[in-house]
Each structure stands twice: as C-alpha cells, then as structure tokens.
Amino acid sequence: MDTLAFPDPLIDDPQRLQALRRYAVLDTPMEPAYDELADMAGHICAAPVALISFLDRERQWFKAAMGLAVQETPLDQSICRYAARQTGVFVVPDLALDPRFAHFDIVTQEHPMRFYAGAPLVTPDGYVLGTLCVLDYVPRLLAPRLQELMLALARQVIRLLELKRANERQGHMLVELEEARRQMAVLAHTDVLTGLSNRRAFTERLRQELALLQRGGEPASLLMLDVDHFKRVNDLHGHHAGDMALQHVAALCREVFRAADVVSRWGGEEFMALLPATGVDQAGAVAERLHAALAARPVPGIEPALVLTASMGLSAFEPLHPLDITLRTLDAAMYTAKREGRNRTVAV
C-alpha cells in the first residue's frame, strides 16, 4: 500500500507551492515546446507514454501528455510524487510487483502500465515542481545513459519555465516603462501645482493654432489673466494659501471654459487661455463668467473668506502677426485692465 501519508509534507510545503504558482503554468493550454520535450523523452527511452507532470496540492496536472488521454490525476494515484523526492531518476521496473503502486488505477486497468521512470523538475532555488516521466506497458529497466538524458530534458523544462517568467517580467517592465514615459510626458507639459498646461506646452499649442489660422482656419481668441493683489494673499495668509488660491483659480477655469479651450498657467499668478473658433465677443462672455465665478466662490479652506479678482486682457488671435507681437499686445491689454481699476477685462 501507499507508504506516503497525507497531508504530504513535501507536496504541501507552502514555499514549494508558492514556487509552483510563481511560474503560472497550471491549467495553461498545451504548448509545442513542452510537447516536443515529452516526445523526445519518449523517443529516447523507447516508451509509448511520456508526461510533463506538475504536482499541485491535491492533483498532478500534465502540461504535456504523449500517449495518455488524461489531463490530470488525483495525487493519491501519483507515482511522480515519489520521484519528486529523488535527486536522480526514479525507476520502477515493474509497477505490478511494487506494493506502493500495484493498486494504482494505471496498474489495474485493462491495459496496465508496468514500467515508470521519472526525472524531477527542480527550480534554480531547489524546489521540485513535478517530473518529466516515461511509462511502458511492459516491465523493463532504463540504462544509466538514458537516465542522464532524462535529467537533461528535465532541466530543459525548467529552462522553458524560467524563460516564460523572464519574458513576462520583461513585458511587465515594458508596460511600466511606457507608463513612466507617459507620466513624464504629462509632467513635461503640465504645471505641477494647478494641473493645467505649462508655459512650454501652451506655447507649442499656440504655434499649432497659428499655423491653422494661417491656412484659413476659423478665428480664435486669446485671454490673459492676472490674479489681483496676489502678493497680498501671500503676505497675509502665507505661501500655502497662495498655492491654494492658484489651484482655486485653475479649478474655476476648468468649470468656466469649454472642453475645446486650452487653459495654461503662464507663470506666477498669470494664466492664459486659447479659445479656438471663438470671436472676441464670445470670448468676452466667457471672461465675464469667470469674473462672476471668482466673485461668488471664495477660496476654500481660508479664513476669513478670501475672494479673488482678476484683471484680464483679451484679443483676437491674429494669423498675420508674429506670435510674440500678439502676446505683447495681450499683455499690454491686461495691464491696462489693472491700471483702470482691476477686476475687469480689456479687449484689443
């Protein structure tokens, strides 16, 4: 009878099972590379049945099964769990004469198996995952040289598993690298404090829009905004409150401007907006909505209540003017708004 008790300390070893899970091989489809190794083992040993078997907690599962029409068997019917304890090939010349296996289904079936030889599948860190084994319907022996070749093929099975793991790790690394690149690209074009486009990214977008306008695209408008008395906010409430104020302005801009509009933190307390396919009158209405939103919504989390105002310059995006001239004109309009009393929009 079976001399190995259940639970089986070797099979149930958590670290061994963890190593088996690490390779993620159980219940995967058949693969030619494994089939070929099993076929080679059967051919070299002149055996009609060759298996690549992995020992799970309650079953042995076959990654390759040449000459056998089953995918798995219960662990209490496994000869391979005996082979897993060997450093070399485990050979049973006649299963019917061995009291450990004579009662197994493969031995008592109509066409019984009589011979078994199994080489352990040992990971680089020493865990036995299963076996590469061959079986025959007649009792026999296996020459030492053939046993060496079986051990070599078993090592090839492990190399296949290691290669699969390496490829998966590389795939994960490539995904992580691509995500890091994407995040770096976002950061390169984003103002860290407000999450809006930074000056560099916005300038590039302006150049693209200018090229479209020069090819006859629909008119566009530009708006430049400066938070009024921002230095006073920092002096009275601290720089943390100043950061909160800029984030508040950015949040209101996201609400007020349309999805097609591009809003940027231009620098310090200055913001810029590009309104594609928008005339100056329409853009002026957007500016007024922003004035109203600032007046109605104090900066959250600051006491006493801090209500911001902004001075804005507004102009058409002229395709015939160089970009730097357009920006200087817009800047002048914004400072005119400041000189005229702040909290207003001046269009040019």
Side-chain angles (χ1 to χ4, degrees):
M1 295 296 291
D2 188 351
T3 58
L4 293 182
F6 285 98
D8 187 324
L10 184 144
I11 300 300
D12 292 339
D13 176 14
Q15 292 181 318
R16 189 198 75 84
L17 290 170
Q18 184 178 7
L20 179 60
R21 302 289 183 270
R22 187 171 67 223
Y23 290 99
V25 66
L26 292 176
D27 299 312
T28 56
M30 296 292 187
E31 296 178 56
Y34 294 91
D35 290 343
E36 288 168 5
L37 288 175
D39 193 38
M40 288 174 65
H43 179 75
I44 290 169
C45 298
V49 176
L51 310 169
I52 294 176
S53 170
F54 291 98
L55 299 169
D56 201 0
R57 188 186 297 273
E58 296 178 349
R59 60 172 178 158
Q60 62 176 3
W61 178 83
F62 305 129
K63 177 63 175 175
M66 312 303 291
L68 194 67
V70 296
Q71 190 75 58
E72 63 180 58
T73 61
L75 204 59
D76 62 3
Q77 294 284 314
S78 170
I79 307 170
C80 293
R81 69 190 183 102
Y82 289 79
R85 289 167 166 75
Q86 309 301 314
T87 55
V89 177
F90 179 63
V91 179
V92 183
D94 191 342
L95 294 167
L97 297 181
D98 192 313
R100 294 171 296 181
F101 311 120
H103 63 286
F104 278 19
D105 291 346
I106 62 170
V107 183
T108 60
Q109 65 188 8
E110 184 178 355
H111 300 289
M113 295 290 180
R114 299 292 297 275
F115 168 79
Y116 173 93
L121 303 176
V122 186
T123 67
D125 48 355
Y127 295 107
V128 181
L129 305 183
T131 69
L132 169 71
C133 64
V134 295
L135 297 100
D136 205 341
Y137 295 100
V138 295
R140 50 179 287 198
L141 298 174
L142 192 66
R145 176 56 181 157
L146 297 182
Q147 294 184 33
E148 292 174 3
L149 291 174
M150 282 195 68
L151 290 170
L153 290 174
R155 289 192 292 271
Q156 290 300 317
V157 173
I158 293 296
R159 289 190 181 103
L160 274 180
L161 292 173
E162 286 289 325
L163 180 61
K164 176 175 178 286
R165 273 192 78 209
N167 287 339
E168 288 175 348
R169 285 196 300 268
Q170 185 179 43
H172 291 316
M173 288 173 62
L174 289 173
V175 170
E176 291 171 0
L177 179 60
E178 187 57 35
E179 177 61 18
R181 286 175 177 167
R182 188 194 66 79
Q183 292 179 2
M184 288 175 65
V186 170
L187 290 173
H189 294 83
T190 304
D191 175 64
V192 175
L193 179 63
T194 63
L196 299 175
S197 294
N198 61 22
R199 185 169 185 148
R200 176 182 175 183
F202 188 75
T203 301
E204 180 59 32
R205 179 67 181 85
L206 289 180
R207 292 195 180 99
Q208 294 171 2
E209 186 67 21
L210 181 58
L212 291 173
L213 291 172
Q214 289 170 342
R215 292 199 293 269
E218 294 185 71
S221 295
L222 291 172
L223 185 144
M224 181 179 285
L225 173 158
D226 186 86
V227 179
D228 294 328
H229 305 298
F230 185 72
K231 184 177 183 301
R232 188 184 303 169
V233 174
N234 282 326
D235 291 344
L236 292 178
H237 300 279
H239 289 282
H240 177 65
D243 289 347
M244 293 172 63
L246 294 176
Q247 290 170 336
H248 177 62
V249 173
L252 292 181
C253 285
R254 290 190 185 92
E255 292 180 16
V256 168
F257 287 96
R258 304 160 302 179
D261 300 331
V262 183
V263 185
S264 164
R265 184 183 177 196
W266 190 244
E269 64 271 26
E270 290 185 353
F271 296 78
M272 283 272 289
L274 166 65
L275 295 84
T278 305
V280 172
D281 290 342
Q282 292 173 286
V286 175
E288 289 308 311
R289 288 202 301 272
L290 185 55
H291 282 299
L294 286 167
R297 306 262 290 275
V299 179
I302 296 180
E303 296 294 341
L306 174 61
V307 176
L308 301 175
T309 64
S311 299
M312 306 184 201
L314 176 62
S315 74
F317 197 170
E318 269 295 340
L320 299 180
H321 294 167
L323 182 58
D324 60 334
I325 298 297
T326 298
L327 293 177
R328 282 203 293 269
T329 301
L330 194 61
D331 187 69
M334 183 186 70
Y335 277 96
T336 298
K338 285 187 173 294
R339 285 195 304 272
E340 293 182 355
R342 305 179 190 269
N343 191 26
R344 65 193 64 215
T345 300
V346 171
V348 292

